[in-house]
Amino acid sequence: QTKLQIAAMISLGLSHIHSVAADDDKGQEQATIAHYDVNPRNVIITPAGIPKFNDFNIAAFLTWNPETKQRCGFVPRFHDPWWRAPEEMFPFDNSTVDEKVDVYSLGNTLFVLLTGMEPRGKEHKKQRLKNVSNVVASGEYPSFPDEYSNSTDPSIKAIRRAIMLCYEPDPKMRPSSMEIAKGLFAALNDLKATANGQDAMKIKLHSS
């Protein structure tokens, strides 16, 4: 349950990054910033137990085109497969991405939080670079260790579901970071409500 709470707060933190309003915001509910380097090393836990994002040195800004009334993406600059999304692997000339790359990377970060393992493995990265790049580009999901893939624990199931949603290969179909956060907080609240109900039942039985 502690991992579920941290996962929810990390997702909410990312949604705050994506929710920064532009100075000339015309009411468009569009992301203006992509962190562009979401991974476990760039999330710190404060002494109060609150996760915070750091290392914004390669953040990308998303602008709004008033003529086409569409958001402008940014050209991806990094194509290594370890923390990146499928659409970043083999970009076409002048192709752009948006903040949804952060959501995919959020899935990788939650995978590490849940399992303690890197989703694409940690060993021999240089030798596996091309192969893993192809795997990520194909949209293939990483495999969970058996103890997590088969678990019926509500907290594990909630985090696992969030990870799978983050791993949606099509960025247009991939949920927003706020949608991921809402799902995790809902699962957390359900667990707390169940626990409170059980505690109340114990107190009632004890008192009677």
Side-chain angles (χ1 to χ4, degrees), residues 1-14:
Q1 187 168 328
T2 299
K3 288 185 177 183
L4 176 58
Q5 184 170 355
I6 293 173
M9 289 191 291
I10 290 174
S11 303
L12 182 62
L14 184 59

Side-chain angles (χ1 to χ4, degrees), residues 28 30 63-73:
Q28 301 291 343
Q30 300 286 346
T63 56
W64 181 259
N65 187 327
E67 295 182 0
T68 63
K69 299 188 183 303
Q70 292 181 337
R71 180 180 49 184
C72 305

Side-chain angles (χ1 to χ4, degrees), residues 3-51:
K3 288 185 177 183
L4 176 58
Q5 184 170 355
I6 293 173
M9 289 191 291
I10 290 174
S11 303
L12 182 62
L14 184 59
S15 75
H16 288 168
I17 296 171
H18 292 167
S19 301
V20 174
D23 291 338
D24 57 348
D25 193 355
K26 304 298 183 183
Q28 301 291 343
E29 294 183 1
Q30 300 286 346
T32 55
I33 299 175
H35 184 282
Y36 199 45
D37 198 13
V38 174
N39 69 71
R41 292 182 294 275
N42 287 337
V43 179
I44 62 172
I45 306 295
T46 69
I50 307 298

Side-chain angles (χ1 to χ4, degrees), residues 155-167:
S155 295
I156 293 176
K157 288 174 65 177
I159 300 173
R160 191 174 64 210
R161 180 176 183 275
I163 292 170
M164 298 302 287
L165 289 171
C166 290
Y167 282 155

